[in-house]
Amino acid sequence: LFFFFFAFSDFYGHDVIVEGFAALAKRRYVLLLLKTFIPSGWTPTIDKQSQAVNTGEDDAQGQYLRTVQKIATRAGVWNKVRFCGSLSLEDLRNLYGIANALINMPARDGFPVTFAEAAACGAEVVTRWHPAYAVPLVEKFFRVLPEHEPSVLARALHEVLDQPATPEKRQAMREEARIHWSHDSYCRVLLRVYSEALV
């Protein structure tokens, strides 16, 4: 199981992810879970015709959803794509725990909270590079792709399955998240910033 956790928009590279996943799914039994922030207006579902139910206006999100569906259907993997909306904190933690990897391929980005969550759960991350990711957590523990191409992503996903992170690496990742990316650490940094601003 691989999963992707962002709003449904072409900004986040679902098309590249589905194409990369399709190359892997031809040789391995895998599922792709698109964990989305479901907006009001459309609800993606899977049926025999590979059609999504779009209950709102024909907006950009709905059009992009259908584009991704067409890519997955042509590649023969739409039946291996699932959608997931809001989850409880416990279920979200379990999702990080059972997934082989979190896939992250946005066009541009700040540092996403999903990285800290994944690391805290010891989950692997496959991501394209952005300058905001230049921190030890990403550089030491994540699989950073040199190119934003489906074939490169497919190779990385193969590696995740064939050479998963060791228990020692997962524990080190959790510790890095606990020390540098926890709520308490954020609060300490903010208090320091506020104190320096007052001087």
Side-chain angles (χ1 to χ4, degrees):
L1 172 66
F2 296 97
F3 83 104
F4 179 70
F5 189 148
F6 281 103
F8 214 89
S9 163
D10 58 357
F11 176 83
Y12 293 110
H14 295 76
D15 50 343
V16 173
I17 291 171
V18 168
E19 288 187 50
F21 170 78
L24 175 72
K26 291 173 182 175
R27 297 185 291 276
R28 308 291 284 265
Y29 181 75
V30 287
L31 292 174
L32 175 64
L33 176 66
L34 300 179
K35 169 70 180 78
T36 61
F37 299 105
I38 303 296
S40 59
W42 65 269
T43 303
T45 63
I46 294 174
D47 59 33
K48 293 179 182 177
Q49 289 75 40
S50 296
Q51 297 296 316
V53 175
N54 188 340
T55 58
E57 297 179 6
D58 193 24
D59 59 6
Q61 289 190 104
Q63 292 173 23
Y64 183 58
L65 170 62
R66 286 187 290 279
T67 297
V68 171
Q69 283 181 293
K70 288 176 184 176
I71 293 170
T73 301
R74 279 197 305 267
V77 297
W78 183 242
N79 63 335
K80 297 183 178 182
V81 177
R82 302 289 186 270
F83 291 86
C84 178
S86 299
L87 291 175
S88 68
L89 289 178
E90 182 179 1
D91 287 341
L92 181 59
R93 182 195 64 211
N94 291 339
L95 175 58
Y96 280 113
I98 64 171
N100 294 93
L102 164 71
I103 304 170
N104 181 68
M105 300 292 283
R108 59 187 181 276
D109 204 8
F111 190 88
V113 69
T114 49
F115 280 3
E117 293 172 346
C121 296
E124 291 209 58
V125 175
V126 176
T127 182
R128 69 177 298 186
W129 175 251
H130 288 292
Y133 301 169
V135 298
L137 178 65
V138 175
E139 294 167 342
K140 287 166 50 178
F141 299 109
F142 294 174
R143 295 176 191 255
V144 181
L145 305 183
E147 299 174 66
H148 182 234
E149 295 293 333
S151 60
V152 175
L153 175 60
R155 283 196 299 273
L157 299 183
H158 269 291
E159 291 173 4
V160 166
L161 294 178
D162 293 338
Q163 302 168 6
T166 63
E168 292 78 15
K169 180 179 177 181
R170 292 179 189 275
Q171 183 55 39
M173 192 188 320
R174 291 187 189 100
E175 189 65 10
E176 178 78 14
R178 185 187 68 78
I179 294 171
H180 299 289
W181 297 98
S182 68
H183 178 74
D184 288 343
S185 67
Y186 275 116
C187 290
R188 286 195 300 272
V189 171
L190 279 175
L191 287 172
R192 189 178 71 238
V193 170
Y194 292 153
S195 297
E196 291 170 356
L198 291 173
V199 175

